Amino acid sequence: MFTLPWWRMYVCCCLSCSTLLFFVLKGDDGEKGDPGEEGKYGKMGRRGPKGIKGELGDIGAQGNIGKTGPIGKKGEKGEKGLLGIPGGKGKAGTVCDCGRYRKVVGQLDISVARLKTSMKFVKNVIAGIRETEEKFYYIVQEEKNYRESVTHCRIRGGMLAMPKDEAANTLIADYIAKSGFFRVFIGVNDLEREGQYVFTDNTPLQNYSNWKEGEPSDPYGHEDCVEMLSSGRWNDTECHLTMYFVCEFVKKKK
Ligand SMILES: *[C@@H]1O[C@H](CO)[C@@H](O)[C@H](O)[C@H]1NC(C)=O
Ligand SMILES: *[C@@H]1O[C@H](CO)[C@@H](O)[C@H](O)[C@H]1NC(C)=O
């Protein structure tokens, strides 16, 4: 058994008594207080449920017209139209010298055709030509037989080329080779007398010739014309064969 000092007993007793008094002697309710101040905003609420699908909207207004597209391809040619109605009878014409005009027009056509041929020739001449002190040489790149070749050169004021010396022969041979050809007609033949070769101006070959080894060889008498090979050598051949040829033109003396 323990004992407490007297003042402790007292304190203890007083605490117990006041507690008891608190419960037993509870007072009346107080008056209602004034309303408090407005509170702060609360937290954001949860996301609401998905809405119901809406109704289809009204049709929108028409848009502006778009840009012009690229030009289309050219159409195919249409079919030929039907024959038209024949025209009315014309007025009586004045008397004219129609025959004369027709003749003039006809001659004009011929002149134009000649001019065209000359132009073509000139164009070719400018494209490639060789010259010495006295002459121009020109390979005509048109396949012709011997007689046509002679005529072609002559009507243009020249001759089928006649290499009468080593220098002329070398120049022509070089011209043929550089142009990439194998053979051309030159102005040599024995058309007049078999075996008697002459240049187209009828001068004999007494001073110069450059036959290929074993040529001229004409067992049947058919090879009366002469071609120059790109080596510069001559070979007798048939006049009706067609090949390129060389014209020569004497330069006009000043
Ligand atoms: C041959 O050469 C000689 C001397 O150069 C000349 O007098 C003669 O006219 C020439 N003959 C021919 C056909 O070209
Ligand atoms: C020479 O001409 C004859 C006849 O045209 C031909 O048969 C022969 O092949 C020619 N020779 C050469 C080397 O071209």
Side-chain angles (χ1 to χ4, degrees):
M1 246 344 247
F2 66 90
T3 52
L4 293 168
W6 64 270
W7 56 273
R8 287 235 176 143
M9 288 274 278
Y10 178 76
V11 169
C12 188
C13 181
C14 278
L15 279 172
S16 313
C17 288
S18 55
T19 310
L20 197 68
L21 272 174
F22 179 80
F23 288 111
V24 173
L25 302 177
K26 187 179 173 197
D28 297 327
D29 288 342
E31 276 179 52
K32 195 176 178 186
D34 295 325
E37 280 177 48
E38 201 176 328
K40 286 189 190 161
Y41 285 109
K43 280 195 204 160
M44 197 194 275
R46 275 195 295 160
R47 177 199 272 252
K50 191 177 176 186
I52 298 160
K53 190 176 181 183
E55 276 179 49
L56 207 60
D58 291 331
I59 290 165
Q62 196 179 340
N64 289 333
I65 293 166
K67 276 197 211 161
T68 308
I71 293 166
K73 280 192 195 157
K74 192 176 174 185
E76 277 173 45
K77 192 177 175 182
E79 278 176 45
K80 195 174 174 184
L82 296 175
L83 210 64
I85 300 160
K89 195 178 173 187
K91 281 186 206 166
T94 50
V95 180
C96 90
D97 193 357
C98 297
R100 214 182 96 214
Y101 286 125
R102 221 170 281 140
K103 202 174 149 199
V104 170
V105 170
Q107 270 168 1
L108 216 61
D109 282 345
I110 293 166
S111 300
V112 168
R114 277 208 195 117
L115 203 65
K116 274 185 187 161
T117 316
S118 303
M119 286 298 287
K120 192 178 159 199
F121 180 73
V122 168
K123 216 174 79 188
N124 290 342
V125 165
I126 291 165
I129 199 163
R130 294 297 166 97
E131 61 181 305
T132 62
E133 285 283 306
E134 309 93 45
K135 288 173 182 172
F136 292 111
Y137 293 92
Y138 174 59
I139 297 177
V140 179
Q141 294 177 35
E142 290 175 42
E143 293 197 351
K144 295 197 186 295
N145 67 32
Y146 185 85
R147 284 186 191 280
E148 287 166 348
S149 304
V150 168
T151 308
H152 187 102
C153 296
R154 186 170 292 154
I155 62 173
R156 286 167 176 81
M159 301 276 282
L160 196 57
M162 300 173 288
K164 291 186 178 179
D165 54 42
E166 182 72 43
N169 203 79
T170 304
L171 181 139
I172 297 168
D174 183 64
Y175 189 11
I176 299 166
K178 293 266 168 63
S179 305
F181 305 136
F182 295 106
R183 62 193 71 234
V184 296
F185 271 130
I186 53 170
V188 180
N189 68 77
D190 70 342
L191 288 162
E192 285 284 309
R193 283 171 64 188
E194 181 63 32
Q196 293 285 306
Y197 284 92
V198 292
F199 288 111
T200 38
D201 62 1
N202 282 320
T203 56
L205 309 183
Q206 68 189 47
N207 283 348
Y208 182 77
S209 66
N210 195 27
W211 294 107
K212 187 178 161 60
E213 227 171 281
E215 306 294 348
S217 65
D218 190 3
Y220 311 109
H222 293 157
E223 302 178 9
D224 294 340
C225 294
V226 177
E227 62 186 10
M228 188 193 285
L229 307 172
S230 54
S231 61
R233 293 286 173 185
W234 301 1
N235 181 30
D236 58 334
T237 191
E238 295 179 34
C239 300
H240 69 85
L241 293 178
T242 60
M243 63 182 85
Y244 294 171
F245 53 97
V246 193
C247 295
E248 66 173 45
F249 302 88
V250 177
K251 288 183 178 176
K252 293 225 172 73
K253 299 221 166 67
K254 284 167 192 166

